[in-house]
Structure formats: C-alpha cells, structure tokens
Amino acid sequence: MTIVAGSLIVRDNKILMVQEAKKSCYGQWNFPAGHVDEEELITDAAIREAFEETGCKIKLTGVLPISTIVLPNGETIVTIKFTADIIEENIKVDKSEQLDVQWIELDKVKNMTKDELRGFDTALNDIKNMENGKTYPLELFDTKIYRR
C-alpha cells in the first residue's frame, strides 16, 4: 500500500496544477501530490510536495475525504488531499518531474477529459467535495511521530 498526500490550492476561482512529465501519465494535469516518505507526517508531505512540484510555499487549511484507489495491478493507493493557501508564490518548473505549472480556471479543470486529468474520477470528486464544503479540520491529524 502506498500513501499519497496532495493539495488543492485555489485562488480567484483558479487552481494550481502541475502537468506531469512521467511516462505513465505524460501530459496530464494533476494537483501537486506525491508519496509520503518513511517517518514523514502526512501534512508535511503535502507541503513538501507542493513546494517541490511548484516552487510555492503553502499553508494547509483543511482536509478532504480520503480516497482509496486500486490500480489494475492490484496495488492500493490511499490519497489524502488537503485544501491550502499560498504563503509565497514563486512558481518554478522542475522539467525532470513536470512539463508545466499553471493556475487553471476551476471550470476548465472540471471539463477536462480522462486523457487530460490524472486520476480523473478522484480529482473531480476532490473538487466537488471542496466546493460543497466537505473540508475537515486539520486537527484530525496528530502532529507527533511516535516511535516504538
């Protein structure tokens, strides 16, 4: 099982999106997101991934419903997406990871096809949940790492 953390960063009815350079999803638009590293808090992973993929510093503002995705090979991915605000905007594109980073109108994202939008079903559901106020407090996450 893999855990992925990401963020929906919305401002002025636009959402900050990254265009993937990975072979498996080349050219598709996605929210800034990535794997949670070992010994990393999920909240820290979302902030780190947003910075690595966009160059922007963010502040998490809430958490959306958690999604479980089962890939055709049977791998399970649990995705935790957060809502977030920009603290410092300094858009940079790491060409080894992304083709582009852009603010895209929410309506344009909602009208993208499966070929244009990575994780089509879950991405649209995340936007719908955000728009319908299904955003939960960050206090759901314990910010301490426990060691045994």
Side-chain angles (χ1 to χ4, degrees), residues 17-66:
M17 302 285 286
V18 297
Q19 190 176 34
E20 300 282 5
K22 296 179 198 111
K23 186 178 179 182
S24 62
C25 53
Y26 188 86
Q28 291 182 318
W29 290 97
N30 194 13
F31 310 124
H35 293 187
V36 177
D37 292 336
E38 290 292 329
E39 298 187 23
E40 183 178 36
L41 293 170
I42 294 168
T43 50
D44 290 346
I47 293 167
R48 174 184 54 77
E49 286 291 342
F51 182 74
E52 288 177 0
E53 294 188 359
T54 70
C56 298
K57 293 181 181 178
I58 65 168
K59 176 185 177 187
L60 303 179
T61 58
V63 62
L64 294 162
I66 297 169

Side-chain angles (χ1 to χ4, degrees), residues 33-119:
H35 293 187
V36 177
D37 292 336
E38 290 292 329
E39 298 187 23
E40 183 178 36
L41 293 170
I42 294 168
T43 50
D44 290 346
I47 293 167
R48 174 184 54 77
E49 286 291 342
F51 182 74
E52 288 177 0
E53 294 188 359
T54 70
C56 298
K57 293 181 181 178
I58 65 168
K59 176 185 177 187
L60 303 179
T61 58
V63 62
L64 294 162
I66 297 169
S67 301
T68 302
I69 302 162
V70 179
L71 300 177
N73 67 3
E75 180 185 359
T76 300
I77 299 174
V78 174
T79 63
I80 299 109
K81 301 274 181 43
F82 297 88
T83 55
D85 291 332
I86 290 280
I87 295 174
E88 184 179 311
E89 184 173 349
N90 187 23
I91 293 178
K92 294 179 184 172
V93 180
D94 177 355
K95 292 293 185 176
S96 67
E97 295 283 329
Q98 288 82 34
L99 301 172
D100 200 2
V101 176
Q102 288 185 20
W103 287 100
I104 302 176
E105 293 284 342
L106 269 169
D107 285 341
K108 184 175 179 182
V109 175
K110 291 190 284 189
N111 288 307
M112 287 182 177
T113 66
K114 286 185 178 189
D115 292 332
E116 295 172 303
L117 185 60
R118 185 171 185 193

